[in-house]
Amino acid sequence: MDIAFIIDSSGSIRRSDFQKQKNFVKEIVKSFGLAPDHSQAAIVLFSTSASVQARFGQYATTEEFAKAVDALRHERGFTRIDRGLNLAATVIFPEARAGVPKLALLITDGVGQTQLASTKDLREASEPLRKAGVRVLAVGI
């Protein structure tokens, strides 16, 4: 499986909950196991903006990936889930392997995203992922 974690790093996430998110991601990856010919994982961190923190195949082992997760910084900006979804659709999943199940796991506190003039509706923002055959799941933390 190619799984991308889209992680909330906004200001509505408490420090302890940000750590819970990181622990959750590490446990999920540990259960799948990472290897070049096995499962691969990627990370998109979102707040006011979104950034790629890990690409598919970048980390060959679960231990290397866990270190990258531990290094994630809590940005504490706005909650722009739409930007995280967009980055996963345009940068992360085009690099996914053909013929492998694809999963985008959105992890957030459920407070909702910041509504600005440029904010996209979440159904609209996730549509490119769904059209690409990516299963999109949300997890509340």
Side-chain angles (χ1 to χ4, degrees):
M1 172 177 288
D2 284 354
I3 181 170
F5 297 94
I6 306 170
I7 302 172
D8 193 338
S9 182
S10 68
S12 64
I13 300 285
R14 292 182 304 196
R15 184 179 312 234
S16 62
D17 288 337
F18 188 70
Q19 186 60 49
K20 285 179 187 175
Q21 288 183 107
K22 292 176 11 175
N23 292 340
F24 175 75
V25 168
K26 290 188 294 185
E27 286 299 316
I28 294 293
V29 168
K30 185 177 174 184
S31 72
F32 280 101
L34 294 184
D37 60 346
H38 196 54
S39 293
Q40 295 185 26
I43 301 170
V44 171
L45 198 63
F46 71 89
S47 182
T48 301
S49 61
S51 60
V52 174
Q53 299 294 314
R55 295 176 180 272
F56 293 131
Q58 182 174 348
Y59 298 102
T61 67
T62 304
E63 294 77 19
E64 290 174 5
F65 187 83
K67 287 179 185 175
V69 172
D70 286 336
L72 295 175
R73 290 188 32 216
H74 190 182
E75 297 173 349
R76 297 186 182 100
F78 292 128
T79 306
R80 291 299 302 266
I81 299 170
D82 59 331
R83 290 187 172 165
L85 292 168
N86 180 61
L87 198 59
T90 59
V91 176
I92 294 298
F93 280 101
E95 298 176 351
R97 299 169 293 170
V100 174
K102 295 161 189 61
L103 174 65
L105 197 57
L106 171 68
I107 307 168
T108 185
D109 60 3
V111 169
Q113 73 171 336
T114 304
Q115 295 299 315
L116 303 171
S118 62
T119 304
K120 283 188 177 179
D121 172 76
L122 294 181
R123 180 161 295 284
E124 177 187 349
S126 63
E127 182 68 19
L129 288 167
R130 292 192 313 274
K131 281 187 175 179
V134 178
R135 183 164 189 128
V136 181
L137 298 175
V139 175
I141 194 78

